[in-house]
Amino acid sequence: MAMKSKVLIVGGTGYLGKRLVKASLAQGHETYVLHREEIGVDIEKVQMLLSFKQQGAHLVIGSFNDHQSLVKVVKLVDVVICAISGVHIRSHQILLQLKLVDAIKEAGNVKRFLPSEFGTDPARMENAMEPGRVTFDDKMVVRRAIEEAGIPFTYISANCFAGYFLGGLCQPGFILPSREQVRLLGDGNQKAIYVDEDDIATYSIKTIDDPRTLNKTVYIRPPQNILSQREVVQIWEKLIGKELLKSSISEQEFLAIMKEQDYAEQVGLTHYYHVCYEGCLANFEIGDGAEEASKLYPEVKYTTVEEYMTRYL
């Protein structure tokens, strides 16, 4: 049995990061979690870090403002996974990863780097709208730096986080499903792909020692979870035994409302627009040079949309 890689997780206390730590430990990897020394009085973060330690993770101190601290930490591991936030309504830190790329390059020992991707594949979004395209543009800047430095990589395109999309029946600004009504985006028939955040972490960790995923994009497309907004609503209606009152918002109305929001909201709404009006996640075949996670790892029993939705009952 080959030795499992040692893994460093950057952003390990975040929404996806904490799941990556858990999945890495569950799959038997020696797991290191980076944290800043100056953590202040963020008690929840400290308690989360201590719980990782109790589960067997190593806590390591480093800072994006201290290059040598990053190099030192990177030298301890084989694989680096970054889950730094790229969501404007939380914080958008994608370009900070350039400092991590520099550290990985100098350390010279990393066998695989998974940068903070985990959403729409930015390489397919060269025609994205302003201002939301900044997310994709920044991720492409990081990709170019990784590839120019000759760092081995895997890019994870995990499509829609279930918590954000299923919780609100694919309506922006909602994360709990109504039992009364729903607004369909357009006709509600564009397909998207919804993935349980714990499954995103499980699949991501599976890729790190897999030669099939080296220097490739891995799309997470669980076949039962490729559904339209209308189909998601139907699943919810079936679960609650009741039909929702439906209205619809046209493309023009959506864009007009979007323009009235502040910058961070506009970025998020741009992404909803591309997913729900254009169907950007499911309107292409995965070609050569890329892989699909549920095919690579059929042993992972992924959470279906219906199973996920039962938590809201």
Side-chain angles (χ1 to χ4, degrees), residues 150-170:
I151 296 166
F153 63 84
T154 299
Y155 302 139
I156 305 286
S157 175
N159 299 298
C160 298
F161 283 14
Y164 279 99
F165 276 80
L166 298 179
L169 301 175
C170 311

Side-chain angles (χ1 to χ4, degrees), residues 146-200:
I146 291 167
E147 289 166 32
E148 280 165 19
I151 296 166
F153 63 84
T154 299
Y155 302 139
I156 305 286
S157 175
N159 299 298
C160 298
F161 283 14
Y164 279 99
F165 276 80
L166 298 179
L169 301 175
C170 311
Q171 301 167 101
F174 295 90
I175 53 172
L176 280 172
S178 168
R179 288 168 177 256
E180 305 300 326
Q181 61 204 29
V182 63
R183 286 193 94 176
L184 298 173
L185 302 184
D187 60 11
N189 289 327
Q190 288 284 7
K191 300 273 188 193
I193 304 157
Y194 314 94
V195 191
D196 180 319
E197 292 83 346
D198 292 325
D199 293 342
I200 294 173

Side-chain angles (χ1 to χ4, degrees), residues 72-84:
K72 196 170 137 192
V73 171
V74 164
K75 282 185 170 168
L76 299 171
V77 299
D78 310 300
V79 171
V80 177
I81 303 176
C82 188
I84 200 165

Side-chain angles (χ1 to χ4, degrees), residues 41-56:
V41 290
D42 190 339
I43 190 71
E44 285 172 346
K45 192 173 275 191
V46 167
Q47 289 183 346
M48 193 186 300
L49 287 165
L50 293 174
S51 81
F52 292 156
K53 194 172 163 186
Q54 283 167 330
Q55 291 162 51

Side-chain angles (χ1 to χ4, degrees), residues 30-99:
E30 197 173 322
T31 304
Y32 294 75
V33 182
L34 184 77
H35 72 92
R36 293 192 301 270
E37 198 160 23
E38 65 289 351
I39 210 159
V41 290
D42 190 339
I43 190 71
E44 285 172 346
K45 192 173 275 191
V46 167
Q47 289 183 346
M48 193 186 300
L49 287 165
L50 293 174
S51 81
F52 292 156
K53 194 172 163 186
Q54 283 167 330
Q55 291 162 51
H58 305 282
L59 305 183
V60 286
I61 291 173
S63 166
F64 280 107
N65 300 322
D66 178 355
H67 174 72
Q68 282 311 318
S69 76
L70 290 180
V71 173
K72 196 170 137 192
V73 171
V74 164
K75 282 185 170 168
L76 299 171
V77 299
D78 310 300
V79 171
V80 177
I81 303 176
C82 188
I84 200 165
S85 174
V87 182
H88 281 73
I89 53 168
R90 293 167 81 97
S91 67
H92 180 76
Q93 306 282 3
I94 293 299
L95 292 178
L96 264 184
Q97 294 180 101
L98 294 173
K99 297 185 176 191

Side-chain angles (χ1 to χ4, degrees), residues 71 75 80 203 209 235 313:
V71 173
K75 282 185 170 168
V80 177
Y203 283 126
D209 284 333
I235 287 169
L313 289 172

